[in-house]
Amino acid sequence: MPVVFVHGVATRKGTSYARQLGKRWSLIQNILLPTLADDPRSVGRYEAFWGDEASVLAWNGASLPRSGGEVFALADEAEDLILAETMYGDPITRAVDVSRPLLDAARRELPNATDLLWAYLSEVPDGSQGAALIDQITRMTDYAENNRRPTWLDACDDDEQLLAELLRHTQKPDTDPRGETFGGDQVIRRLRETVARIAAAPGRLIGRPFMTQLRPLVHRPSALFLGDVLEYVAQRHKDGVHGPIATIVGNKIAEAMADKSADDDRLIIIAHSMGGNIVYDLMSDLRDDLSCDLLVTVGSQVGLFAELGVFPAVSPPGDPKVDRVPKPTNIARWINVYDRQDGLSFATGGVFEGVEDFEYSTGAGPLGAHSTYFIRPSFYHRLGSRIQEGGR
């Protein structure tokens, strides 16, 4: 059962991308795939990376508004945006304790703290340690969602104590053959390292007015969003199926199709944001040789683009109240996930027949929601449940 992931706009290679890539596939393998495959480690992984063929800011972002000519040093770090939004909110309505950022976030709602633990986790190791770490944070996340304001939070004095309390309420009582606590000291050490990274982050966010810091984090992704969309559209009009982005994504799906086995011949495509538009355009018009058993579009704009007449395969409806676009026959099942707080995600079921819209709350606000789906363990749990509800 090959799985293809197609990323969205403003995705470029670098340290941040590599870290998020490893964390995302760890969550897919350890949380989503066990609900779908007997042997998750045998599932083929295909990353359709098209960012190298996307837009480029020719003057290196000189058009982006700045205050005093300063540039925010970590403008491409999604975790800092999530931390800023989680701690400060918009507008600021309370005092912020930057000396205890994790505890400060937790006192608003405990899921904020578990979101930050995932966002700032530097890496997920391979093997049993990685599985133990994911299992531990997954249980923390589940606990936090069911206990958003536990009474024990009032007695916590710092971030370390918060972590200790989370562990106390979520660690498994069973032990491994050596008698060690489940997960071992390595899991605890990595979580403490993550808490230390979070504690250091506010130093990058304070010292200037809040919106002065936040604006570059918004402007650059917005510029790349517009640029990447326009670049794909330009390539499509000029070269059609032979456009660089269409070629990369289409060939990666074809490669995954060839990897299907007789024992499990399903193919799953997960597409984020603009990635969903690209996949739909390929499957509906450019590449009728491609097919998949499940398409999952997340935080995408397929419904909106269809309404705007962007896709050649979509004709204007005779009666918008009743006429919907048939789902492409080469997509056996289609699930579309959106968050109302994510201004770049749209519903699809009202435009296309046979699409299952799935509303999911990332727990982030309007600035961080679009980049938060794939760092939350609960997303993969709920997606797995939704896939199982529909059967094969």
Side-chain angles (χ1 to χ4, degrees):
M1 182 180 68
V3 175
V4 181
F5 187 90
V6 186
H7 66 77
V9 297
T11 301
R12 303 295 187 266
K13 288 184 178 178
T15 302
S16 179
Y17 170 75
R19 183 169 64 247
Q20 296 300 329
L21 179 69
K23 289 163 65 175
R24 170 164 40 81
W25 279 112
S26 293
L27 288 169
I28 290 174
Q29 178 174 294
N30 290 280
I31 296 179
L32 177 61
L33 292 183
T35 67
L36 307 176
D38 294 333
D39 183 9
R41 296 187 178 278
S42 68
V43 172
R45 301 181 351 179
Y46 293 87
E47 185 81 8
F49 180 81
W50 53 272
D52 286 345
E53 301 296 338
S55 59
V56 176
L57 296 174
W59 277 266
N60 195 30
S63 60
L64 305 180
R66 295 178 174 86
S67 175
E70 295 180 357
V71 180
F72 189 56
L74 295 174
D76 62 344
E77 294 290 349
E79 55 260 37
D80 280 347
L81 174 56
I82 295 169
L83 175 63
E85 189 174 56
T86 299
M87 290 187 66
Y88 294 98
D90 185 12
I92 301 172
T93 57
R94 64 189 183 87
V96 175
D97 188 348
V98 296
S99 66
R100 301 175 294 183
L102 194 63
L103 181 58
D104 185 273
R107 282 180 171 162
R108 294 186 67 187
E109 274 199 342
L110 190 56
N112 291 328
T114 51
D115 278 351
L116 289 174
L117 280 171
W118 264 116
Y120 278 86
L121 190 67
S122 59
E123 63 178 353
V124 177
D126 295 330
S128 60
Q129 283 189 17
L133 181 60
I134 291 172
D135 182 71
Q136 178 59 55
I137 301 185
T138 300
R139 280 183 277 113
M140 287 180 175
T141 300
D142 293 341
Y143 174 84
E145 291 188 340
N146 293 314
N147 301 272
R148 292 181 173 270
R149 291 185 176 87
T151 55
W152 53 260
L153 262 178
D154 296 333
C156 290
D157 294 325
D158 54 35
D159 290 357
E160 280 284 343
Q161 191 172 354
L162 169 63
L163 176 61
E165 284 295 317
L166 274 172
L167 289 169
R168 185 171 72 86
H169 285 85
T170 59
Q171 273 192 301
K172 286 184 176 180
D174 51 320
T175 58
D176 69 14
R178 295 167 295 179
E180 296 177 347
T181 303
F182 179 83
D185 292 339
Q186 294 297 319
V187 168
I188 307 302
R189 180 179 63 80
R190 287 185 179 274
L191 290 175
R192 285 176 174 162
E193 289 174 352
T194 303
V195 169
R197 291 188 68 220
I198 297 172
R204 299 193 293 267
L205 301 175
I206 61 177
R208 304 176 203 165
F210 175 64
M211 285 310 296
T212 300
Q213 304 162 42
L214 206 55
R215 206 169 280 121
L217 287 168
V218 176
H219 274 121
R220 182 172 289 271
S222 297
L224 290 177
F225 175 85
L226 292 172
D228 288 0
V229 171
L230 293 172
E231 177 65 24
Y232 176 76
V233 171
Q235 290 182 15
R236 202 221 192 275
H237 285 166
K238 179 183 177 183
D239 300 315
V241 70
H242 301 296
I245 295 175
T247 298
I248 289 171
V249 178
N251 287 351
K252 189 61 66 172
I253 295 173
E255 183 182 349
M257 288 175 60
D259 190 36
K260 294 195 296 185
S261 68
D263 294 333
D264 191 349
D265 60 354
R266 293 174 295 175
L267 171 62
I268 296 176
I269 301 173
I270 302 173
H272 181 223
S273 189
M274 185 62 187
N277 304 322
I278 295 169
V279 171
Y280 174 76
D281 194 27
L282 286 167
M283 306 284 272
S284 65
D285 186 61
L286 294 176
R287 293 285 302 267
D288 59 8
D289 60 309
L290 302 178
S291 64
C292 68
D293 298 276
L294 172 64
L295 170 63
V296 182
T297 49
V298 182
S300 194
Q301 307 86 36
V302 182
L304 174 66
F305 278 29
E307 289 208 74
L308 293 173
V310 174
F311 299 121
V314 176
S315 300
D319 183 352
K321 293 182 179 180
V322 297
D323 294 339
R324 291 187 295 167
V325 180
K327 174 173 63 65
T329 57
N330 51 350
I331 300 176
R333 187 182 180 196
W334 183 355
I335 295 176
N336 179 65
V337 184
Y338 66 92
D339 181 352
R340 290 179 185 268
Q341 291 293 316
D342 176 8
L344 296 176
S345 69
F346 294 85
T348 304
V351 177
F352 292 91
E353 292 178 348
V355 179
E356 305 163 48
D357 276 333
F358 172 26
E359 182 176 349
Y360 171 80
S361 175
T362 61
L367 297 175
H370 195 63
S371 58
T372 306
Y373 298 95
F374 297 105
I375 66 172
R376 293 206 64 188
S378 62
F379 171 79
Y380 300 91
H381 276 297
R382 295 176 193 178
L383 178 59
S385 298
R386 178 56 62 96
I387 293 173
Q388 287 184 314
E389 287 172 6
R392 181 179 167 82

